[in-house]
Amino acid sequence: MLTGAGVSAESGVPTFREAQTGLWEKYDPLELATPEAFARDPELVWRWYRWRRDLVARAEPNAGHRALAELQSLVPRLTLVTQNVDGMHQRAGSQGVIEFHGNLFSDRCAAEHRIVRTSEDDRVPTCPDCGSYARPGVVWFGEAIPEDALHASFAAAADCDVFLSVGTSSLVYPAAGLADIAREAGAVTIEVNPNPTDQSESFTASLRGNAGTVLPQLVESLAH
Ligand code: OAD
């Protein structure tokens, strides 16, 4: 299964390709989530990520996250791959979540790429080991997916009977390619999204609705 920003939308966490609200409406998140943006203005990038951290810390997992955690106990094997960096699936109780794009609450040394602990006070935190800037521990455009996450996700997609794609625009690769791998391996593929996506036609079925409504219904129908 693959999830995207739409699964956290009902928790109040803005998606990437829908309108931003308030303070950040004049910034394009896609332009802040790049190594170039960080090199140009690390303070601006950190302000945006701190805003997201605060927002996510105040938000709660929703019925969609909870349904996916429950689903894990109803089927023999479920691999949850998420493009989300908000940790909401884990907070809702999902186990073994594969974070394809990293985690919002970790920091990484910008020079050596290792996860590091930094002081919260600095406007632009630095690596305690080498003194370089530290950056959020997420994957930005143009960067490689963590190898473990990539291999485990591709292997799971190639070996599943049913592939669910929830709340993602299916535009960003390699994540969007997981559905193709599952399809080629003969899996039934199902999209859950209130809106059609460029990939909708390729899915076996599309369930049009919000994750917080559709997923509990799906789980309910499996449980009885
Ligand atoms: P997007 O913002 O591209 O797409 C969000 C999708 O969620 C859209 O297709 C919406 O129709 C759908 N959606 C909105 N509300 C929903 C709801 N209540 N229930 C279900 N679906 C809903 O977000 P992603 O596809 O996750 O990567 O974006 C993929 C990647 O692009 C992100 O991980 C991020 C971004 O750049 C990186 O930062 C590397």
Side-chain angles (χ1 to χ4, degrees), residues 42-121:
E43 204 176 316
L44 173 71
V45 171
W46 265 112
R47 274 192 0 244
W48 188 63
Y49 277 93
R50 286 211 176 93
W51 173 77
R52 281 188 74 88
R53 281 182 179 179
D54 284 350
L55 191 146
V56 167
R58 278 184 277 109
E60 293 294 333
N62 64 55
H65 297 112
R66 290 193 295 274
L68 293 184
E70 199 183 334
L71 187 59
Q72 210 157 26
S73 64
L74 295 173
V75 296
R77 184 166 53 104
L78 185 153
T79 306
L80 201 169
V81 181
T82 187
Q83 297 168 88
N84 299 345
V85 296
D86 59 23
M88 288 283 196
H89 287 302
Q90 294 91 324
R91 281 170 62 190
S94 283
Q95 306 285 321
V97 176
I98 299 178
E99 292 185 312
F100 211 76
H101 290 161
N103 188 288
L104 182 60
F105 295 95
S106 63
D107 295 347
R108 190 179 284 284
C109 170
E112 294 167 339
H113 310 295
R114 277 177 296 109
I115 297 290
V116 292
R117 279 199 174 280
T118 63
S119 148
E120 275 297 309
D121 315 331

Side-chain angles (χ1 to χ4, degrees), residues 3-10 14-18 29-30 33 48-49 62 82-85 100-101 138-143 145 166-172 175 191-197 209-213:
T3 66
V7 80
S8 293
E10 290 160 85
T15 62
F16 287 89
R17 288 173 184 77
E18 295 166 294
L30 304 182
W48 188 63
Y49 277 93
N62 64 55
T82 187
Q83 297 168 88
N84 299 345
V85 296
F100 211 76
H101 290 161
V138 300
V139 175
W140 282 333
F141 276 103
E143 294 185 326
I145 306 301
V166 184
T168 174
S169 55
S170 294
L171 288 171
V172 177
E191 179 178 69
V192 178
N193 199 311
N195 305 304
T197 70
N210 288 336
T213 306

